Amino acid sequence: MAHLSARSDAAYQNDYHHKIRGRIWNALDGTAYGERHDSGEPPGFAYSNPFPPRDMREGDDRKLLVASPDEELLANVAANLLDDREFNVGEMPFHVDEVTSLEPDVGEPGTRGTLETGTGLLVRIPPWRCDEYGIDHPGGDTATFWRPEHTTAPLREQLEANLDQKHDRFAHDHLPGPSEVSGELFDGYELLKTFALPLTVTEGQEMTYVLSKWKFEYTVRDDDHRRHLNLALDCGLGERNSLGLGFMNVAERTRPGETMGEERDAFA
């Protein structure tokens, strides 16, 4: 977690994604992780928005979370932030006051909780799967953005397939991935909203994505399920996590034997 202070009054910018991504990749430049840039593979990190997301006055505090299953990757990012404490996110100028470590965990088997998408979730359905879901596709190779009328079936399957890909890249080979165990990732899916967001994907290129925000209820079945849910916290869910999409928060958690949930800050 980067603890930030505003260096001047500023309006909050919702198009923070490209600037934060650039700073993270700059921190990884020259390391083994820099080779992941533009590789098309999962980057192995995700990040929140600067929160709380509102206009700021000089001296106001903000926070930024960067998550990864790789502690060395996070150490490189932390070192860069501490070496160069001026952190400008577009027109929002910050100073990095401190960097601290966190170890979020969905909980031991039997724990019930809720994960919330702190940033928009990008799920795209490939054209060769559209007929299977009864989705009209105009033709060609363009994927279809998930929308509420498509139901949660394609969303669940695409999230699991994407998390499988991350598991194959970042988890131990001998451990089963999400699609290799019985049971769903989540018990319940509560759609909060869908929205279109223009994002700078590369310098000078902007694309508009259809995103969604969710609350996902879960009950940790076993150690494998716990690993898979924690991998979602570390890498993000869905696509384009290096753009800050699909960042996950533990919004509530109730351990076995407890009756009250553990509340955490909402970041977006």
Side-chain angles (χ1 to χ4, degrees):
M1 177 183 286
H3 301 259
L4 312 172
S5 57
R7 293 189 289 110
S8 67
D9 297 356
Y12 191 84
Q13 290 184 252
N14 289 307
D15 56 346
Y16 58 85
H17 308 75
H18 182 59
K19 296 297 183 182
I20 295 178
R21 178 183 63 172
R23 181 62 186 268
I24 293 174
W25 281 123
N26 284 342
L28 300 177
D29 187 33
T31 73
Y33 305 102
E35 298 176 359
R36 297 178 185 175
H37 192 244
D38 297 327
S39 69
E41 298 291 332
F45 65 81
Y47 54 90
S48 72
N49 56 337
F51 63 91
R54 55 175 179 261
D55 295 349
M56 61 200 78
R57 304 295 296 268
E58 182 178 356
D60 282 356
D61 294 329
R62 293 293 184 271
K63 294 179 175 64
L64 174 74
L65 286 167
V66 181
S68 174
D70 193 318
E71 291 185 5
E72 187 176 347
L73 183 152
L74 291 175
N76 279 284
V77 174
N80 179 270
L81 292 174
L82 293 173
D83 287 343
D84 179 5
R85 293 181 180 242
E86 184 176 317
F87 187 10
N88 298 323
V89 183
E91 300 301 316
M92 297 187 291
F94 294 110
H95 178 268
V96 180
D97 298 327
E98 185 183 10
V99 177
T100 57
S101 62
L102 299 173
E103 295 184 9
D105 191 332
V106 296
E108 63 192 54
T111 300
R112 293 178 290 110
T114 303
L115 298 187
E116 189 167 349
T117 52
T119 58
L121 183 68
L122 174 61
V123 175
R124 292 182 288 193
I125 304 163
W128 56 88
R129 300 295 301 274
C130 286
D131 281 346
E132 176 183 339
Y133 298 124
I135 297 172
D136 290 333
H137 190 274
D141 297 329
T142 303
T144 299
F145 293 113
W146 182 89
R147 292 176 172 84
E149 59 266 27
H150 298 153
T151 75
T152 60
L155 178 123
R156 294 196 309 269
E157 293 190 16
Q158 293 303 312
L159 288 181
E160 182 179 89
N162 179 270
L163 196 59
D164 261 333
Q165 186 181 12
K166 293 164 182 168
H167 182 274
D168 290 344
R169 187 173 177 109
F170 304 117
H172 298 292
D173 292 340
H174 67 281
L175 298 173
S179 64
E180 298 175 293
V181 299
S182 61
E184 296 274 354
L185 273 175
F186 303 113
D187 301 332
Y189 296 74
E190 180 185 349
L191 177 62
L192 302 178
K193 67 175 181 177
T194 57
F195 58 103
L197 185 67
L199 293 173
T200 301
V201 293
T202 59
E203 197 65 47
Q205 181 185 8
E206 186 178 274
M207 294 185 65
T208 298
Y209 292 128
V210 177
L211 309 176
S212 53
K213 285 194 173 185
W214 295 83
K215 285 185 177 180
F216 298 124
E217 296 177 358
Y218 69 85
T219 303
V220 181
R221 295 188 302 274
D222 51 32
D223 288 337
D224 287 328
H225 190 213
R226 181 182 189 177
R227 284 190 303 100
H228 301 154
L229 293 175
N230 281 333
L231 182 64
L233 289 178
D234 288 338
C235 293
L237 277 179
E239 301 178 59
R240 302 310 297 262
N241 306 124
S242 68
L243 274 175
L245 303 180
F247 185 82
M248 305 297 296
N249 306 318
V250 180
E252 184 178 357
R253 184 175 60 188
T254 303
R255 295 180 176 87
E258 292 181 341
T259 56
M260 296 296 291
E262 176 186 320
E263 297 291 339
R264 294 186 55 182
D265 290 337
F267 301 136

